[in-house]
Short mmCIF file of all heavy atoms in Angstrom, two decimals:
data_model
loop_
_atom_site.label_atom_id
_atom_site.label_comp_id
_atom_site.label_asym_id
_atom_site.label_seq_id
_atom_site.Cartn_x
_atom_site.Cartn_y
_atom_site.Cartn_z
N ILE A 333 -0.21 -12.89 -4.23
CA ILE A 333 0.52 -13.26 -5.44
C ILE A 333 0.79 -12.01 -6.31
O ILE A 333 1.90 -11.81 -6.77
CB ILE A 333 -0.26 -14.31 -6.22
CG1 ILE A 333 -0.28 -15.64 -5.46
CG2 ILE A 333 0.38 -14.55 -7.62
CD1 ILE A 333 -1.17 -16.71 -6.05
N THR A 334 -0.24 -11.18 -6.50
CA THR A 334 -0.04 -10.00 -7.33
C THR A 334 0.94 -9.02 -6.68
O THR A 334 1.65 -8.30 -7.40
CB THR A 334 -1.39 -9.27 -7.57
OG1 THR A 334 -1.91 -8.78 -6.31
CG2 THR A 334 -2.41 -10.19 -8.21
N THR A 335 1.03 -9.04 -5.37
CA THR A 335 1.96 -8.15 -4.67
C THR A 335 3.40 -8.48 -5.01
O THR A 335 4.20 -7.60 -5.37
CB THR A 335 1.76 -8.24 -3.15
OG1 THR A 335 0.42 -7.81 -2.83
CG2 THR A 335 2.75 -7.37 -2.41
N ILE A 336 3.75 -9.75 -4.93
CA ILE A 336 5.14 -10.15 -5.22
C ILE A 336 5.43 -10.10 -6.70
O ILE A 336 6.47 -9.57 -7.14
CB ILE A 336 5.37 -11.59 -4.68
CG1 ILE A 336 5.30 -11.63 -3.15
CG2 ILE A 336 6.76 -12.10 -5.15
CD1 ILE A 336 6.33 -10.78 -2.46
N VAL A 337 4.54 -10.62 -7.51
CA VAL A 337 4.79 -10.63 -8.94
C VAL A 337 4.80 -9.21 -9.52
O VAL A 337 5.66 -8.89 -10.37
CB VAL A 337 3.71 -11.48 -9.66
CG1 VAL A 337 3.88 -11.45 -11.17
CG2 VAL A 337 3.75 -12.94 -9.17
N GLY A 338 3.93 -8.37 -9.05
CA GLY A 338 3.93 -6.98 -9.52
C GLY A 338 5.21 -6.25 -9.19
O GLY A 338 5.74 -5.48 -10.00
N THR A 339 5.76 -6.48 -7.97
CA THR A 339 7.00 -5.84 -7.60
C THR A 339 8.18 -6.38 -8.44
O THR A 339 9.07 -5.63 -8.82
CB THR A 339 7.28 -6.05 -6.11
OG1 THR A 339 6.15 -5.60 -5.38
CG2 THR A 339 8.51 -5.26 -5.67
N ALA A 340 8.16 -7.68 -8.70
CA ALA A 340 9.20 -8.25 -9.55
C ALA A 340 9.14 -7.65 -10.95
O ALA A 340 10.16 -7.41 -11.60
CB ALA A 340 9.04 -9.77 -9.63
N MET A 341 7.95 -7.36 -11.43
CA MET A 341 7.78 -6.74 -12.75
C MET A 341 8.24 -5.28 -12.73
O MET A 341 8.76 -4.79 -13.74
CB MET A 341 6.33 -6.83 -13.20
CG MET A 341 5.90 -8.28 -13.50
SD MET A 341 4.10 -8.52 -13.67
CE MET A 341 3.82 -7.84 -15.31
N LEU A 342 8.14 -4.63 -11.60
CA LEU A 342 8.70 -3.29 -11.46
C LEU A 342 10.23 -3.33 -11.59
O LEU A 342 10.82 -2.45 -12.19
CB LEU A 342 8.31 -2.65 -10.13
CG LEU A 342 6.94 -1.98 -10.03
CD1 LEU A 342 6.72 -1.49 -8.60
CD2 LEU A 342 6.80 -0.83 -11.00
N MET A 343 10.82 -4.34 -11.00
CA MET A 343 12.30 -4.50 -11.10
C MET A 343 12.68 -4.70 -12.59
O MET A 343 13.67 -4.16 -13.06
CB MET A 343 12.76 -5.70 -10.28
CG MET A 343 12.66 -5.48 -8.80
SD MET A 343 13.80 -4.18 -8.25
CE MET A 343 13.66 -4.39 -6.47
N ASP A 344 11.85 -5.48 -13.33
CA ASP A 344 12.09 -5.65 -14.73
C ASP A 344 12.03 -4.30 -15.47
O ASP A 344 12.81 -4.03 -16.40
CB ASP A 344 11.07 -6.60 -15.35
CG ASP A 344 11.26 -8.06 -14.92
OD1 ASP A 344 12.38 -8.38 -14.42
OD2 ASP A 344 10.30 -8.83 -15.06
N ALA A 345 11.08 -3.46 -15.06
CA ALA A 345 10.92 -2.16 -15.70
C ALA A 345 12.15 -1.28 -15.44
O ALA A 345 12.56 -0.53 -16.34
CB ALA A 345 9.66 -1.47 -15.15
N ILE A 346 12.74 -1.38 -14.26
CA ILE A 346 13.97 -0.60 -13.96
C ILE A 346 15.12 -1.11 -14.82
O ILE A 346 15.88 -0.33 -15.40
CB ILE A 346 14.33 -0.72 -12.46
CG1 ILE A 346 13.27 0.02 -11.62
CG2 ILE A 346 15.71 -0.16 -12.20
CD1 ILE A 346 13.44 -0.19 -10.13
N ASP A 347 15.26 -2.43 -14.95
CA ASP A 347 16.31 -2.99 -15.79
C ASP A 347 16.10 -2.62 -17.26
O ASP A 347 17.09 -2.35 -17.97
CB ASP A 347 16.36 -4.52 -15.63
CG ASP A 347 16.82 -4.95 -14.24
OD1 ASP A 347 17.50 -4.15 -13.59
OD2 ASP A 347 16.51 -6.08 -13.84
N TYR A 348 14.86 -2.59 -17.68
CA TYR A 348 14.58 -2.21 -19.07
C TYR A 348 14.92 -0.73 -19.31
O TYR A 348 15.41 -0.36 -20.37
CB TYR A 348 13.11 -2.48 -19.38
CG TYR A 348 12.72 -2.07 -20.79
CD1 TYR A 348 13.33 -2.67 -21.89
CD2 TYR A 348 11.75 -1.12 -21.04
CE1 TYR A 348 12.99 -2.31 -23.20
CE2 TYR A 348 11.39 -0.74 -22.32
CZ TYR A 348 12.02 -1.35 -23.41
OH TYR A 348 11.68 -0.99 -24.68
N SER A 349 14.65 0.11 -18.29
CA SER A 349 15.03 1.53 -18.41
C SER A 349 16.55 1.66 -18.61
O SER A 349 17.00 2.46 -19.44
CB SER A 349 14.59 2.29 -17.18
OG SER A 349 15.03 3.63 -17.20
N GLU A 350 17.32 0.87 -17.84
CA GLU A 350 18.77 0.92 -17.99
C GLU A 350 19.19 0.46 -19.38
O GLU A 350 20.09 1.07 -20.01
CB GLU A 350 19.41 0.07 -16.92
CG GLU A 350 20.93 0.16 -16.90
CD GLU A 350 21.53 -0.59 -15.71
OE1 GLU A 350 20.95 -1.62 -15.31
OE2 GLU A 350 22.57 -0.17 -15.23
N LYS A 351 18.54 -0.56 -19.87
CA LYS A 351 18.89 -1.09 -21.22
C LYS A 351 18.49 -0.08 -22.30
O LYS A 351 19.25 0.13 -23.26
CB LYS A 351 18.13 -2.41 -21.43
CG LYS A 351 18.24 -2.96 -22.85
CD LYS A 351 17.37 -4.20 -23.00
CE LYS A 351 17.40 -4.75 -24.40
NZ LYS A 351 16.52 -5.94 -24.58
N LEU A 352 17.38 0.59 -22.13
CA LEU A 352 16.87 1.49 -23.16
C LEU A 352 17.52 2.85 -23.13
O LEU A 352 17.83 3.43 -24.16
CB LEU A 352 15.35 1.62 -22.98
CG LEU A 352 14.60 2.49 -24.01
CD1 LEU A 352 14.60 1.82 -25.36
CD2 LEU A 352 13.15 2.71 -23.54
N LEU A 353 17.72 3.40 -21.88
CA LEU A 353 18.13 4.81 -21.74
C LEU A 353 19.51 4.99 -21.13
O LEU A 353 20.06 6.09 -21.13
CB LEU A 353 17.11 5.55 -20.88
CG LEU A 353 15.66 5.54 -21.40
CD1 LEU A 353 14.73 6.15 -20.35
CD2 LEU A 353 15.55 6.32 -22.71
N GLY A 354 20.06 3.90 -20.57
CA GLY A 354 21.42 4.01 -20.00
C GLY A 354 21.44 4.43 -18.53
O GLY A 354 22.50 4.60 -17.95
N PHE A 355 20.29 4.59 -17.90
CA PHE A 355 20.24 4.85 -16.46
C PHE A 355 19.00 4.17 -15.88
O PHE A 355 18.02 3.93 -16.61
CB PHE A 355 20.25 6.33 -16.13
CG PHE A 355 18.99 7.05 -16.51
CD1 PHE A 355 18.02 7.32 -15.57
CD2 PHE A 355 18.78 7.48 -17.81
CE1 PHE A 355 16.85 7.99 -15.90
CE2 PHE A 355 17.61 8.15 -18.16
CZ PHE A 355 16.64 8.41 -17.21
N ARG A 356 19.04 3.87 -14.59
CA ARG A 356 18.03 3.01 -13.99
C ARG A 356 16.77 3.75 -13.58
O ARG A 356 15.67 3.29 -13.79
CB ARG A 356 18.64 2.25 -12.81
CG ARG A 356 19.77 1.30 -13.20
CD ARG A 356 20.40 0.63 -12.01
NE ARG A 356 19.45 -0.19 -11.28
CZ ARG A 356 19.03 -1.37 -11.68
NH1 ARG A 356 19.47 -1.90 -12.80
NH2 ARG A 356 18.15 -2.06 -10.96
N GLY A 357 16.93 4.91 -12.94
CA GLY A 357 15.76 5.69 -12.54
C GLY A 357 14.92 5.01 -11.46
O GLY A 357 13.71 5.06 -11.48
N GLU A 358 15.61 4.38 -10.49
CA GLU A 358 14.85 3.67 -9.42
C GLU A 358 13.90 4.61 -8.69
O GLU A 358 12.77 4.22 -8.35
CB GLU A 358 15.80 3.06 -8.39
CG GLU A 358 16.82 2.08 -8.94
CD GLU A 358 18.19 2.74 -9.21
OE1 GLU A 358 18.23 3.96 -9.33
OE2 GLU A 358 19.17 1.98 -9.27
N GLY A 359 14.37 5.82 -8.42
CA GLY A 359 13.56 6.74 -7.63
C GLY A 359 12.26 7.05 -8.29
O GLY A 359 11.20 6.94 -7.66
N ILE A 360 12.29 7.40 -9.57
CA ILE A 360 11.05 7.80 -10.22
C ILE A 360 10.13 6.58 -10.45
O ILE A 360 8.91 6.67 -10.37
CB ILE A 360 11.29 8.56 -11.54
CG1 ILE A 360 10.00 9.20 -12.02
CG2 ILE A 360 11.88 7.64 -12.60
CD1 ILE A 360 10.20 10.18 -13.15
N VAL A 361 10.71 5.38 -10.70
CA VAL A 361 9.90 4.19 -10.91
C VAL A 361 9.16 3.84 -9.62
O VAL A 361 7.93 3.63 -9.63
CB VAL A 361 10.74 3.00 -11.39
CG1 VAL A 361 9.93 1.70 -11.34
CG2 VAL A 361 11.27 3.25 -12.78
N PHE A 362 9.88 3.83 -8.50
CA PHE A 362 9.21 3.52 -7.23
C PHE A 362 8.29 4.65 -6.78
O PHE A 362 7.31 4.42 -6.09
CB PHE A 362 10.25 3.16 -6.16
CG PHE A 362 10.71 1.73 -6.26
CD1 PHE A 362 11.88 1.41 -6.90
CD2 PHE A 362 9.96 0.70 -5.76
CE1 PHE A 362 12.32 0.11 -7.03
CE2 PHE A 362 10.36 -0.64 -5.85
CZ PHE A 362 11.55 -0.95 -6.49
N SER A 363 8.65 5.88 -7.15
CA SER A 363 7.75 6.99 -6.82
C SER A 363 6.43 6.87 -7.59
O SER A 363 5.36 7.21 -7.08
CB SER A 363 8.40 8.33 -7.11
OG SER A 363 8.48 8.56 -8.49
N LEU A 364 6.53 6.40 -8.81
CA LEU A 364 5.32 6.17 -9.61
C LEU A 364 4.48 5.04 -8.99
O LEU A 364 3.24 5.09 -9.01
CB LEU A 364 5.68 5.87 -11.05
CG LEU A 364 6.08 7.08 -11.88
CD1 LEU A 364 6.69 6.66 -13.20
CD2 LEU A 364 4.93 8.04 -12.10
N ASN A 365 5.18 4.03 -8.49
CA ASN A 365 4.43 2.96 -7.78
C ASN A 365 3.72 3.53 -6.56
O ASN A 365 2.57 3.21 -6.29
CB ASN A 365 5.41 1.84 -7.37
CG ASN A 365 4.69 0.70 -6.71
OD1 ASN A 365 3.69 0.19 -7.19
ND2 ASN A 365 5.17 0.29 -5.56
N THR A 366 4.41 4.40 -5.83
CA THR A 366 3.77 5.06 -4.68
C THR A 366 2.63 5.96 -5.13
O THR A 366 1.57 6.03 -4.50
CB THR A 366 4.81 5.87 -3.89
OG1 THR A 366 5.86 5.02 -3.48
CG2 THR A 366 4.19 6.53 -2.67
N PHE A 367 2.87 6.67 -6.26
CA PHE A 367 1.82 7.53 -6.81
C PHE A 367 0.57 6.70 -7.14
O PHE A 367 -0.55 7.10 -6.80
CB PHE A 367 2.34 8.19 -8.12
CG PHE A 367 1.28 8.83 -8.94
CD1 PHE A 367 0.78 10.09 -8.65
CD2 PHE A 367 0.77 8.16 -10.07
CE1 PHE A 367 -0.21 10.66 -9.44
CE2 PHE A 367 -0.21 8.75 -10.85
CZ PHE A 367 -0.69 10.01 -10.53
N ILE A 368 0.77 5.55 -7.76
CA ILE A 368 -0.37 4.69 -8.08
C ILE A 368 -1.03 4.15 -6.80
O ILE A 368 -2.27 4.08 -6.73
CB ILE A 368 0.12 3.48 -8.94
CG1 ILE A 368 0.58 3.99 -10.33
CG2 ILE A 368 -0.95 2.42 -9.07
CD1 ILE A 368 -0.53 4.67 -11.12
N THR A 369 -0.24 3.84 -5.78
CA THR A 369 -0.80 3.41 -4.52
C THR A 369 -1.70 4.51 -3.92
O THR A 369 -2.81 4.25 -3.46
CB THR A 369 0.33 3.07 -3.52
OG1 THR A 369 1.16 2.04 -4.07
CG2 THR A 369 -0.27 2.56 -2.19
N LYS A 370 -1.18 5.75 -3.92
CA LYS A 370 -1.94 6.86 -3.37
C LYS A 370 -3.17 7.18 -4.22
O LYS A 370 -4.24 7.48 -3.69
CB LYS A 370 -1.04 8.11 -3.31
CG LYS A 370 0.24 7.92 -2.52
CD LYS A 370 -0.04 7.88 -1.02
CE LYS A 370 1.28 7.76 -0.25
NZ LYS A 370 2.20 8.88 -0.50
N LEU A 371 -2.98 7.10 -5.55
CA LEU A 371 -4.14 7.36 -6.41
C LEU A 371 -5.25 6.34 -6.22
O LEU A 371 -6.43 6.66 -6.15
CB LEU A 371 -3.70 7.38 -7.88
CG LEU A 371 -4.76 7.71 -8.94
CD1 LEU A 371 -5.36 9.08 -8.69
CD2 LEU A 371 -4.16 7.59 -10.35
N SER A 372 -4.83 5.05 -6.08
CA SER A 372 -5.81 4.00 -5.83
C SER A 372 -6.51 4.21 -4.49
O SER A 372 -7.70 4.00 -4.34
CB SER A 372 -5.16 2.64 -5.90
OG SER A 372 -4.33 2.39 -4.78
N ALA A 373 -5.73 4.68 -3.49
CA ALA A 373 -6.30 4.95 -2.16
C ALA A 373 -7.32 6.12 -2.27
O ALA A 373 -8.36 6.07 -1.63
CB ALA A 373 -5.19 5.28 -1.17
N MET A 374 -6.96 7.16 -3.07
CA MET A 374 -7.86 8.28 -3.25
C MET A 374 -9.17 7.81 -3.88
O MET A 374 -10.25 8.17 -3.42
CB MET A 374 -7.19 9.34 -4.11
CG MET A 374 -8.06 10.57 -4.34
SD MET A 374 -7.30 11.76 -5.48
CE MET A 374 -7.51 10.91 -7.05
N ILE A 375 -9.07 7.03 -4.95
CA ILE A 375 -10.26 6.53 -5.62
C ILE A 375 -11.06 5.64 -4.69
O ILE A 375 -12.30 5.71 -4.62
CB ILE A 375 -9.87 5.78 -6.90
CG1 ILE A 375 -9.19 6.72 -7.89
CG2 ILE A 375 -11.12 5.15 -7.55
CD1 ILE A 375 -8.58 6.02 -9.09
N SER A 376 -10.35 4.79 -3.92
CA SER A 376 -11.03 3.90 -2.98
C SER A 376 -11.81 4.69 -1.94
O SER A 376 -12.99 4.39 -1.66
CB SER A 376 -9.99 3.00 -2.28
OG SER A 376 -9.32 2.20 -3.21
N LYS A 377 -11.18 5.67 -1.34
CA LYS A 377 -11.87 6.49 -0.35
C LYS A 377 -13.02 7.28 -0.97
O LYS A 377 -14.06 7.49 -0.34
CB LYS A 377 -10.87 7.44 0.34
CG LYS A 377 -9.89 6.75 1.24
CD LYS A 377 -8.97 7.74 1.93
CE LYS A 377 -8.06 7.04 2.96
NZ LYS A 377 -7.08 6.14 2.33
N GLY A 378 -12.84 7.70 -2.24
CA GLY A 378 -13.91 8.38 -2.92
C GLY A 378 -15.12 7.47 -3.13
O GLY A 378 -16.26 7.89 -2.92
N ILE A 379 -14.85 6.23 -3.50
CA ILE A 379 -15.93 5.25 -3.66
C ILE A 379 -16.66 5.03 -2.35
O ILE A 379 -17.91 5.00 -2.30
CB ILE A 379 -15.39 3.92 -4.21
CG1 ILE A 379 -14.92 4.11 -5.68
CG2 ILE A 379 -16.40 2.80 -4.13
CD1 ILE A 379 -14.18 2.93 -6.25
N ILE A 380 -15.90 4.85 -1.26
CA ILE A 380 -16.51 4.66 0.06
C ILE A 380 -17.35 5.90 0.42
O ILE A 380 -18.49 5.79 0.90
CB ILE A 380 -15.47 4.39 1.13
CG1 ILE A 380 -14.64 3.15 0.74
CG2 ILE A 380 -16.11 4.18 2.49
CD1 ILE A 380 -15.41 1.90 0.54
N GLY A 381 -16.75 7.09 0.24
CA GLY A 381 -17.47 8.32 0.60
C GLY A 381 -18.74 8.51 -0.19
O GLY A 381 -19.78 8.87 0.37
#
Side-chain angles (χ1 to χ4, degrees):
I333 292 173
T334 65
T335 298
I336 294 297
V337 176
T339 306
M341 291 167 77
L342 277 177
M343 291 294 190
D344 289 342
I346 292 173
D347 291 339
Y348 179 60
S349 174
E350 185 174 32
K351 173 184 176 182
L352 182 68
L353 302 172
F355 69 98
R356 297 177 60 78
E358 301 98 338
I360 193 169
V361 171
F362 278 97
S363 72
L364 284 168
N365 183 49
T366 302
F367 166 81
I368 292 299
T369 302
K370 304 286 183 60
L371 183 59
S372 71
M374 180 184 74
I375 297 171
S376 298
K377 290 182 174 68
I379 290 172
I380 302 303

